[in-house]
Amino acid sequence: MKSKKIVLALVLISNFAFAQKTVRLTSEYGSRNEEIQNLIDFEGVFIEKLIFENDTLNGKYYEINLQEYKDGNFVKNTSLFDASESDFFMIRGSKLSLKFYFKLEKEKLKTLIIGKNFESKRMYFDLNSNTDDYALKDFFGRNSELTLRLTEKGNAILAIITPTIHKDGSSSYCEVAQSDVMPEKLGEHFKIPHYFLITIKFK
C-alpha cells in the first residue's frame, strides 16, 4: 500500500512538472471576411493571432525573436520584442494574446507584433528571392491547438519560408511546415535556401 502511495505521489509530481513546462497554443489566421482576406493576400500581407494559455504564465515576461537561416545554416538572431524591458508588459493572468503582422514587399520582410496596449517596433529584413516565393506557415498542421513544451532556448511558433522543390518541378509549403523535422533543420532537410523562424521564450 505504501509503495502505491509513493508511485501515485511521483505521478502527481511528474504531471505537475509537465504542466509547468507546457503552454496551450491556439491561433486565428487572417480575416474572417473573405473579400478582406483576398485583398490581404494580394498585398502580400500575412496576419496570425496566437493565444498562449497556462496558469503558470501569470507574472512572467516573454521575448520574441526572429532567426534567419540560409542554405541550412543559422545566420543571426534578432529581437523583435522583449517584454522584460518593462513591468508594463508583464503577463497578468493565464493568457497571452499576440497578433503577428508580416508584409512582403520590394524584396523586404516587414514585421510588426501587436499585443494588449502595445505594438512593437516595425523591423525590416532582406529577402533572397522574389517576395512571392515566401509564405507564412505555423506548425499546427490539421490540429486546432498545440501543447507547446517550453525550452530554455525558446520555441519556434511561426515560419516565413520558401517551398521545397521536387524533382518534377512541383513545390510545397505545407510539406515543410507540417513535417516532423526540427524547425532549425528545415533548410538542411528540404534544401530551402532561405527562411525565417519566429520564436518565443517565456522567462
Side-chain angles (χ1 to χ4, degrees):
M1 185 67 178
K2 185 176 181 180
S3 62
K4 289 183 178 180
K5 289 182 178 180
I6 293 174
V7 171
L8 178 59
L10 290 174
V11 170
L12 292 174
I13 292 172
S14 177
N15 289 341
F16 177 76
F18 178 79
Q20 291 280 313
K21 296 180 180 179
T22 62
V23 169
R24 177 176 178 263
L25 178 61
T26 55
S27 72
E28 298 174 11
Y29 181 79
S31 172
R32 295 180 181 178
N33 184 297
E34 184 177 354
E35 291 186 2
I36 292 177
Q37 184 59 52
N38 289 339
L39 179 60
I40 289 172
D41 292 338
F42 178 73
E43 292 295 332
V45 176
F46 300 98
I47 305 171
E48 186 153 0
K49 180 180 180 181
L50 295 180
I51 303 99
F52 306 84
E53 295 181 76
N54 191 310
D55 290 340
T56 60
L57 291 181
N58 187 42
K60 288 186 178 294
Y61 299 95
Y62 56 95
E63 181 180 348
I64 301 169
N65 295 303
L66 179 144
Q67 297 177 353
E68 183 177 4
Y69 292 82
K70 289 184 180 180
D71 299 320
N73 299 310
F74 173 75
V75 177
K76 64 179 179 179
N77 183 79
T78 303
S79 176
L80 299 181
F81 183 76
D82 189 348
S84 64
E85 293 178 356
S86 171
D87 287 345
F88 177 80
F89 304 117
M90 179 192 295
I91 302 172
R92 292 174 172 81
S94 61
K95 181 185 293 187
L96 171 67
S97 296
L98 298 170
K99 187 169 282 189
F100 294 82
Y101 292 80
F102 304 97
K103 182 174 177 60
L104 301 167
E105 185 179 38
K106 298 179 180 179
E107 313 306 321
K108 293 281 187 180
L109 167 67
K110 180 180 180 181
T111 68
L112 173 68
I113 304 166
I114 296 180
K116 186 178 181 180
N117 301 321
F118 83 90
E119 65 177 48
S120 70
K121 177 183 177 181
R122 290 161 174 79
M123 301 187 72
Y124 299 83
F125 302 88
D126 292 330
L127 301 177
N128 270 18
S129 59
N130 191 292
T131 55
D132 292 337
D133 293 337
Y134 291 81
L136 173 67
K137 292 294 177 182
D138 55 38
F139 300 101
F140 286 87
R142 296 181 179 179
N143 301 310
S144 59
E145 66 177 67
L146 292 176
T147 298
L148 201 63
R149 299 193 65 174
L150 305 182
T151 66
E152 291 185 1
K153 66 177 182 178
N155 296 80
I157 50 176
L158 295 169
I160 297 95
I161 62 173
T162 51
T164 184
I165 307 298
H166 300 133
K167 292 181 179 180
D168 62 2
S170 62
S171 61
S172 173
Y173 291 94
C174 293
E175 181 181 337
V176 177
Q178 297 176 14
S179 70
D180 293 327
V181 178
M182 296 292 290
E184 60 269 23
K185 297 294 184 181
L186 291 175
E188 179 182 344
H189 184 86
F190 291 102
K191 309 302 180 185
I192 300 173
H194 190 220
Y195 71 103
F196 303 93
L197 291 178
I198 307 300
T199 67
I200 189 167
K201 178 181 179 181
F202 293 96
K203 51 189 181 179

